[in-house]
């Protein structure tokens, strides 16, 4: 098929250099694309869309009629990253997860980082995601964040930044795996021989990570996935992961605490549970400990957790480290615990709780992106350059009323990837969410969820707001093979 | 396995089987009424009486015209037992337990639901429902086949078979009953007016004609009744279905033949034993309709016992809420 005229915009295009030639990582793929007959790509895209519907790969959108599912939008053209660059990303992610785990553990126990004056106590104490109920708790293996999804973006200059950490219940990994599967089904001869790093072992790695962190002394642990139920937007993912790992998918009503342990109710009576991969937010885990009005969780679950008789993944309270105001301190956190410079930089962030920074933000609202510190899914954000004066005024009032709740960042220009729009390839903005597992080992999935803003010019990639997705290819070129899997002990030695 | 999951897998297969059987109901009536004079040609009301959904029906429809009855049985969302409702409940149940269903089964079920939903919007379906009914039957066969061929024959599979067999036993009994309503209003009429065409139609809608022919050759009403009620090898006969359900229940609990560990097994055991040792002569003497009525009542009691013994967790001091937020799991049996 003809690729010309593909016009990449002002942003960094992942596939094509500004002169219109494919970048080295994309050369082979573009070559193959050109051998496709006219219309063949569209044909395959249709096949893929149909498979998605038949396979029931869907997500729920809140606010629609209960139980409405939308088919997951998927674009056939992958985002390609070469091995060399990925190696850097991988070590950056490992460094980050390792330090954040140490940080959360410290916050709920010795608070050394506060005592040493590296992070203001006020900032931590005022975090909405701090859980005083977890004070003094230390999870098995010292792991708090077992599963992390880190949002990465590439700015105009080609630099990759960490946009945010998702340390609570990051979702999307099932779509990564399904996208790959679909790619293989519908695009096999393009895929073949491309030397793409495999991701299919993720469920195996996840299971291993969970079982590695079982309570001490349990020889043959039982793990389950805890879901809020069928109306949750990520329900598909919950069933997918349970199925892939071969463990039970339970709802709160399936579990009960008796005799100091957690059990599930089975057709043969109660059966003990040792590890819970919970996809329910802290607030809803245990009505006796957190929100009493919640019907999703299990009474007294936290007692069992604190007694070390069940492991929750991620541990309750980890959210404190993905508070966007705390995020601004991650470079300091890494330096404090590991004595290293940050490998993957943060986006420069202004904390509105700091008077000087706040004044700068208030004076430059038309240039900045303002975000609430504790929302996810793209809610509550002001895109300064695209906003009206009224919106900015409203935002300024909100900041003044509660400065701790807001941060601001420069407007970044997300990179683009060619995307099939009607019959042509058009640049569309993307981000990337790789997934990192931390148990006895740290595993970085080679790739991740590439989300794409399907609307022209839009930088909003959230699926709840009309975003789609792409397969992400990490190329294994030559000797430079990524090592997704590394033992934490070995890694610590290397960094000692 | 989880009680909630067992519950869903059981109802999932009941709903698929129910959809298939509603399709068979319509088919038998079509075969019976086609080419008849007006009196018999308008015999659509009995379908509603037999399925026991008369109350819901009469709330919405004034008469028992062919079109209204078909609309109600095929696509009425207010009718929890319409094919559309069944397909949608089956899929919703499947969606809650996707992690235990082989993906080929899920995909098949998904396609089944889409097929029914799109047929519901077509005028032509009501006009010529046979082809649609055929597709529903085939989809159900595909699902059963895919399940048998790809799912481990463990506890979940056994619960699915129990659901399917109980539903099928119930519906076969109702298919036989349709005949009673239309052709044999009184017990003493049995054996009088033989109508080979009509009895063949009945057999055909249970996909039983060829098998029956091999067994008995000539079509005689008491042989037909015997075949559909008591035959121990024909997979849609009431007796066969109950025996398989009993077998699966034993595999689930581990009890041995001739014993019982819970109320479910006691009830199904009594019902099976009765079928093992009765004869079609006894049944006809007692009255076919009366016999079927009694059978259905006892079968409902088995269904209730299953609910109590396996799906409602009694181990905990808490009362378990049966996934009230998902699907109405406790659809009454007509």
């Amino acid at each position: 098929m003809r690729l010309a005229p593909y016009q990449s915009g002002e942003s960094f295009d992942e596939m094509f250099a500004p002169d219109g030639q494919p970048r080295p990582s994309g050369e082979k793929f573009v070559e193959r694309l050109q051998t496709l007959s006219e219309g063949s790509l569209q044909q395959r895209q249709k096949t893929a869309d149909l498979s998605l519907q038949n396979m029931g790969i869907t997500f729920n959108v809140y606010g629609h009629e209960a139980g409405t599912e939308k088919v997951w939008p998927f674009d056939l053209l992958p985002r390609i990253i070469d091995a060399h660059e990925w190696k850097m990303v991988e070590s950056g992610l490992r460094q980050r997860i390792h330090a954040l785990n140490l940080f959360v553990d410290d916050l709920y126990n010795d608070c050394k980082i506060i005592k040493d004056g590296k992070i203001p106590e006020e900032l931590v104490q005022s975090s909405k995601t701090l859980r005083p109920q977890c004070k003094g708790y230390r999870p098995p293996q010292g792991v708090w964040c077992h599963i992390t999804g880190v949002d990465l973006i590439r700015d105009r200059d080609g630099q990759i930044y960490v946009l945010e950490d998702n340390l609570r219940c990051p979702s999307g990994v099932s779509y990564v795996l399904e996208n790959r599967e679909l790619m293989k089904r519908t695009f096999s001869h393009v895929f073949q021989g491309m030397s793409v790093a495999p991701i299919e072992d993720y469920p195996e790695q996840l299971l291993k990570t969970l079982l590695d962190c079982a309570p001490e002394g349990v020889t043959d642990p039982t793990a389950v996935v805890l879901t809020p139920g069928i109306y949750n937007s990520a329900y598909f993912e919950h069933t997918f992961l349970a199925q892939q790992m071969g463990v039970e998918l339970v709802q709160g009503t399936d579990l009960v605490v008796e005799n100091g342990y957690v059990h599930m109710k089975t057709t043969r009576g109660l059966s003990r549970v040792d590890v819970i991969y919970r996809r329910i937010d802290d607030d809803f885990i245990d009505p006796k400990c957190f929100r009493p009005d919640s019907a999703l969780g299990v009474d007294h679950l936290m007692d069992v957790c604190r007694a070390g008789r069940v492991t929750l993944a991620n541990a309750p309270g980890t959210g404190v480290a993905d508070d966007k105001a705390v995020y601004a301190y991650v470079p300091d956190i890494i330096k404090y615990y590991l004595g290293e410079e940050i490998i993957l930089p943060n986006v420069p962030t202004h904390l509105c709780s700091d008077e000087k920074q706040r004044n700068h933000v208030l004076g430059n609202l038309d240039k900045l992106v303002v975000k609430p510190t504790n929302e996810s899914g793209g809610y509550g954000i002001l895109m300064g350059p695209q906003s009206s004066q009224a919106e900015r005024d409203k935002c300024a009032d909100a900041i003044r009323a509660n400065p701790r709740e807001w941060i601001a960042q420069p407007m970044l220009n997300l990179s683009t990837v060619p995307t099939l729009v009607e019959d042509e390839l058009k640049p569309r903005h993307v981000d990337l969410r790789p997934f990192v597992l931390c148990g006895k080992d740290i595993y970085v999935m080679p790739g991740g969820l590439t989300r794409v803003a399907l609307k022209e010019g839009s930088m909003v990639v959230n699926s709840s707001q009309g975003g789609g997705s792409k397969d992400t290819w990490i190329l294994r070129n030559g000797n430079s093979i990524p090592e997704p899997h590394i033992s934490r002990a070995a890694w610590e030695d290397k960094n000692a | 396995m989880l009680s909630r999951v067992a519950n869903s897998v059981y109802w999932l297969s009941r709903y698929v089987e129910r959809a298939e059987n509603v399709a068979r109901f319509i088919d038998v009536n079509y075969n019976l009424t086609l080419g008849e004079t007006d009196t018999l040609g308008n015999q659509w009301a009995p379908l509603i009486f037999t399925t026991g959904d008369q109350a819901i029906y009469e709330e919405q429809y004034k008469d028992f015209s062919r079109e209204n009855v078909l609309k109600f049985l095929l696509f009425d969302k207010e009718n929890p037992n319409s094919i559309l409702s069944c397909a949608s409940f089956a899929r919703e149940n499947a969606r809650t337990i996707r992690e235990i269903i082989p993906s080929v089964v899920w995909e098949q079920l998904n396609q089944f639901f889409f097929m029914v939903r799109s047929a519901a919007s077509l005028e032509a379906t009501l006009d010529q429902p046979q082809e649609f009914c055929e597709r529903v039957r085939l989809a159900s066969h595909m699902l059963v086949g895919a399940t048998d061929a790809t799912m481990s024959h463990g506890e979940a599979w056994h619960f699915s078979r129990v659901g399917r067999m109980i539903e099928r036993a119930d519906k076969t009994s109702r298919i036989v009953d349709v005949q009673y309503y239309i052709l044999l209003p009184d017990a003493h009429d049995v054996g009088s007016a033989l109508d080979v065409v009509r009895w063949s139609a009945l057999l055909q809608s249970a996909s039983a004609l060829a098998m029956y022919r091999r067994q008995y050759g000539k079509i005689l009403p008491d042989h037909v009744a015997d075949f559909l009620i008591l035959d121990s090898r024909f997979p849609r006969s009431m007796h066969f279905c109950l025996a398989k359900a009993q077998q699966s229940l034993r595999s689930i609990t581990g009890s041995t033949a001739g014993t019982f560990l819970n109320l479910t097994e006691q009830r199904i055991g009594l019902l099976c034993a009765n079928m093992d040792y009765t004869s079609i002569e006894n049944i006809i003497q007692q009255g076919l309709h009366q016999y079927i009525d009694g059978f259905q009542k006892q079968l409902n009691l088995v269904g209730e016992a299953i609910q109590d013994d396996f799906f409602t967790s009694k181990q905990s001091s808490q009362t378990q809420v049966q996934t009230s937020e998902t699907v109405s799991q406790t659809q009454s049996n007509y």
Side-chain angles (χ1 to χ4, degrees):
Chain A
M1 69 176 284
R2 284 179 312 120
L3 293 175
Y6 175 77
Q7 298 271 332
S8 56
E10 284 187 9
S11 314
F12 182 99
D13 191 83
E14 302 278 344
M15 188 92 77
F16 293 98
D19 64 1
Q21 291 305 305
R23 296 184 188 278
S25 60
E27 268 172 11
K28 206 167 165 190
F29 176 77
V30 170
E31 211 173 277
R32 293 202 174 185
L33 211 53
Q34 278 162 333
T35 65
L36 288 182
S37 58
E38 218 40 63
S40 158
L41 191 60
Q42 289 84 336
Q43 192 57 45
R44 277 159 219 277
Q45 181 69 50
K46 278 194 193 115
T47 311
D49 294 343
L50 189 66
S51 310
L52 279 162
Q53 164 148 348
N54 285 338
M55 287 155 77
I57 298 171
T58 56
F59 65 102
N60 295 350
V61 178
Y62 292 122
H64 284 233
E65 191 190 332
T68 346
E69 316 150 62
K70 278 190 147 184
V71 171
W72 180 251
F74 170 72
D75 180 79
L76 269 184
L77 281 97
R79 172 191 188 149
I80 304 174
I81 302 174
D82 75 41
H84 180 70
E85 180 164 49
W86 186 252
K87 253 188 140 79
M88 185 274 294
V89 172
E90 227 179 51
S91 32
L93 292 173
R94 269 195 198 105
Q95 178 195 51
R96 201 167 176 102
I97 298 328
H98 192 62
L100 286 173
N101 257 310
L102 294 172
F103 172 64
V104 178
D105 197 51
D106 187 23
L107 279 191
Y108 288 107
N109 288 282
D110 310 324
C111 299
K112 279 190 275 188
I113 194 167
I114 294 172
K115 288 174 192 152
D116 287 344
K118 301 292 178 194
I119 184 165
E121 181 167 14
E122 170 57 22
L123 182 87
V124 173
Q125 289 304 334
S126 60
S127 173
K128 278 187 182 161
T129 40
L130 181 78
R131 296 280 171 268
Q133 296 92 333
C134 297
K135 206 98 193 121
Y137 174 61
R138 181 155 277 156
Q141 310 290 340
V143 179
W144 290 76
C145 320
H146 306 75
I147 300 107
T148 315
V150 186
D151 289 346
L152 303 177
I153 54 154
R154 193 200 293 277
D155 198 13
R156 200 179 276 120
D157 58 1
Q159 172 69 49
I160 293 181
Y161 292 95
V162 174
L163 185 66
E164 63 182 64
D165 304 290
N166 297 286
L167 305 181
R168 286 170 272 181
C169 305
S171 57
V173 75
S174 57
Y175 299 116
V176 178
L177 297 168
E178 290 286 19
N179 284 354
R180 176 62 54 85
E181 174 76 28
L182 203 60
M183 201 70 169
K184 286 180 169 175
R185 275 201 207 182
T186 52
F187 223 24
S188 54
H189 69 292
V190 172
F191 195 91
Q192 205 166 32
M194 283 297 294
S195 198
V196 177
I199 52 171
E200 290 82 348
D201 63 334
Y202 180 84
E204 175 79 18
Q205 299 292 349
L206 177 60
L207 182 62
K208 182 175 176 300
T209 302
L210 294 173
L211 297 181
D212 274 356
C213 296
E216 216 170 310
V218 180
T219 45
D220 187 14
T222 300
V224 299
V225 176
L226 174 62
T227 176
I230 192 161
Y231 295 122
N232 185 270
S233 62
Y235 185 74
F236 164 75
E237 175 149 308
H238 307 160
T239 62
F240 179 88
L241 291 175
Q243 182 194 45
Q244 295 286 308
M245 291 192 287
V247 305
E248 298 288 358
L249 178 68
V250 302
Q251 301 181 4
T253 49
D254 296 324
L255 296 180
V256 63
V257 170
E258 261 186 32
N259 305 321
Y261 287 92
V262 181
H263 305 269
M264 51 185 163
K265 301 169 187 169
T266 77
T267 52
R268 289 154 204 255
L270 296 184
S271 163
R272 203 168 103 188
V273 172
D274 306 295
V275 182
I276 301 177
Y277 177 24
R278 48 100 177 195
R279 296 294 299 258
I280 297 185
D281 279 338
D282 288 354
D283 275 347
F284 305 101
I285 295 178
D286 176 358
K288 297 284 180 217
C289 181
F290 301 111
R291 273 177 60 164
D293 60 334
S294 158
L296 298 174
V298 184
D299 285 355
H300 304 294
L301 182 57
M302 276 305 289
D303 298 341
V304 186
C305 174
R306 278 189 297 239
R309 293 191 184 129
V310 72
T311 305
L312 297 181
N314 293 343
T318 48
V320 66
D322 71 9
D323 182 302
K324 290 191 181 69
V326 174
Y327 156 93
Y329 284 90
V330 172
D332 301 324
I333 289 170
I334 288 174
K335 196 158 212 173
Y336 180 79
Y337 293 104
L338 306 178
E340 297 172 9
E341 292 301 323
I342 193 164
I343 300 172
L344 280 173
N346 270 12
V347 177
T349 302
H350 310 285
L351 292 173
C352 294
S353 53
D354 177 283
E355 194 188 345
K356 210 171 128 201
Q357 297 183 45
R358 177 168 66 245
N359 288 335
H360 174 78
V361 171
L362 290 170
N364 292 281
L365 279 180
D366 58 334
K367 299 183 195 75
L368 296 169
V369 178
V370 185
K371 297 176 178 176
T373 52
N374 258 314
E375 292 284 347
S376 56
Y379 293 100
I381 291 178
L382 175 86
M383 299 288 230
Q386 294 155 15
S387 65
S388 67
Q389 186 62 46
E391 285 167 332
R392 289 196 290 274
D393 290 346
K394 203 176 143 207
C395 183
D397 288 345
I399 292 173
R400 283 193 199 94
N402 207 342
R404 169 63 178 82
E405 302 285 295
W406 300 92
I407 58 149
Q409 295 170 336
M411 182 92 179
L412 297 181
N413 206 321
L414 271 53
S415 59
T416 57
V417 175
T419 301
L420 189 63
V421 179
E422 278 146 21
D423 282 349
E424 272 179 271
L425 298 188
K426 294 278 174 77
R428 289 291 181 265
H429 295 289
V430 293
D431 76 349
L432 176 63
R433 177 180 288 183
F435 291 86
V436 187
L437 298 176
C438 184
K440 280 184 182 150
D441 304 325
I442 298 181
Y443 165 87
V444 179
M445 172 189 245
L449 181 63
T450 292
R451 296 184 296 178
V452 50
L454 294 173
K455 264 187 269 169
E456 187 172 1
S458 167
M459 301 219 188
V460 182
V461 295
N462 302 74
S463 52
S464 52
Q465 305 188 15
S469 74
K470 288 169 167 292
D471 194 12
T472 312
W473 292 3
I474 307 302
L475 296 184
R476 297 185 294 180
N477 29 352
N479 299 325
S480 187
I481 296 165
E483 308 158 38
H485 198 270
I486 219 168
S487 130
R488 250 169 91 216
W491 193 80
E492 274 166 33
D493 287 348
K494 182 187 75 118
N495 288 282
Chain B
M1 70 188 294
L2 288 175
S3 300
R4 174 180 55 81
V5 172
N7 190 6
S8 288
V9 84
Y10 170 88
W11 278 105
L12 158 61
S13 70
R14 280 200 77 154
Y15 281 124
V16 171
E17 185 68 26
R18 191 170 291 179
E20 181 190 334
N21 282 289
V22 173
R24 288 176 182 280
F25 268 21
I26 293 169
D27 216 41
V28 64
N29 216 52
Y30 238 94
N31 277 325
L32 287 171
T33 57
L34 225 53
E36 286 289 351
T37 56
D38 271 0
T39 17
L40 266 177
N42 282 325
Q43 292 273 13
W44 288 89
L47 272 189
I48 306 292
F49 302 145
T50 329
T51 56
D53 292 322
Q54 203 177 343
I56 322 173
Y57 185 87
E58 284 177 345
E59 269 172 35
Q60 299 180 73
Y61 301 95
K62 286 197 187 73
D63 57 39
F64 289 95
S65 70
R66 189 189 75 107
E67 201 195 343
N68 280 347
V69 169
L70 283 177
K71 216 185 265 176
F72 180 75
L73 291 177
L74 292 175
F75 304 127
D76 195 330
K77 282 184 186 155
E78 305 299 316
N79 173 9
N81 297 313
S82 72
I83 291 180
L84 181 63
S85 296
C86 286
S88 144
F89 288 147
R91 180 165 179 272
E92 281 298 284
N93 270 304
R95 223 154 74 79
T96 66
I97 53 166
R98 244 169 97 167
E99 72 284 1
I100 69 141
I101 305 174
S103 56
V104 34
V105 174
W106 162 250
E107 286 179 32
Q108 195 60 45
L109 189 57
N110 219 14
Q111 290 182 34
F112 171 47
F113 171 70
F114 290 134
M115 185 275 283
V116 174
R117 200 177 54 177
S118 63
S121 62
L122 294 176
E123 290 282 320
T125 318
L126 283 182
D127 221 36
Q128 293 285 327
Q130 294 103 318
E131 198 216 326
F132 172 73
C133 289
E134 173 76 22
R135 284 164 74 185
V136 171
R137 281 214 308 266
L138 280 179
S140 167
H141 288 323
M142 295 274 276
L143 273 163
V144 175
T147 307
D148 281 0
T150 60
M151 189 173 189
S152 295
H153 289 204
E155 208 182 341
W157 183 85
H158 281 297
F159 271 114
S160 122
R161 191 166 75 160
V162 171
R164 187 164 66 243
M165 288 301 143
I166 288 191
E167 183 70 22
R168 186 181 292 170
D170 180 70
K171 294 306 171 287
T172 296
S173 75
R174 286 168 199 277
I175 287 179
V176 178
D177 222 26
V178 172
Q179 183 76 349
Y180 170 88
Y181 258 97
I182 296 179
L183 300 173
L184 303 165
D186 294 304
H188 59 78
D189 280 357
V190 175
S192 60
L194 299 190
D195 189 337
V196 173
V197 177
R198 289 172 193 163
W199 287 106
S200 311
L202 176 77
L203 283 167
Q204 217 152 17
S205 50
S207 305
L209 186 57
M211 291 299 131
Y212 172 89
R213 288 264 191 226
R214 292 188 72 84
Q215 181 99 340
Y216 292 105
K218 263 177 81 176
I219 291 183
L220 298 170
D222 50 353
H223 282 171
V224 174
D226 194 6
F227 192 69
L228 290 180
I229 298 172
L230 293 178
D231 195 88
S232 59
R233 284 167 302 179
F234 180 62
R236 305 199 69 85
S237 86
M238 290 148 62
H239 189 195
F240 179 96
C241 291
L242 270 202
K244 289 294 168 191
Q246 187 183 32
Q247 230 174 53
S248 275
L249 284 165
R250 276 201 201 112
S251 299
I252 291 165
T253 62
S255 69
T256 49
T259 68
F260 65 95
L261 290 170
N262 53 33
L263 190 60
T264 306
E265 289 189 315
Q266 186 184 24
R267 284 179 177 169
I268 202 168
L270 283 168
L271 193 49
C272 276
N274 173 283
M275 293 199 99
D276 290 343
Y277 295 105
T278 191
S279 68
I280 194 65
E281 288 77 22
N282 293 150
I283 291 175
I284 287 175
Q285 212 167 15
Q286 180 189 341
L288 186 67
H289 178 63
Q290 286 75 3
Y291 178 81
I292 286 178
D293 207 39
F295 175 85
Q296 285 170 356
K297 281 188 183 128
Q298 289 176 68
L299 197 62
N300 283 349
L301 290 177
V302 171
E304 282 167 23
I306 290 176
Q307 203 75 30
D308 283 354
D309 285 336
F310 300 102
F311 306 151
T312 312
S313 187
K314 279 172 287 191
Q315 308 92 338
S316 156
S317 47
Q318 296 176 315
T319 337
Q320 192 195 356
V321 184
Q322 283 289 334
T323 57
S324 52
E325 80 273 25
T326 55
V327 198
S328 43
Q329 306 279 8
T330 45
Q331 296 298 316
S332 62
N333 295 294
Y334 299 137

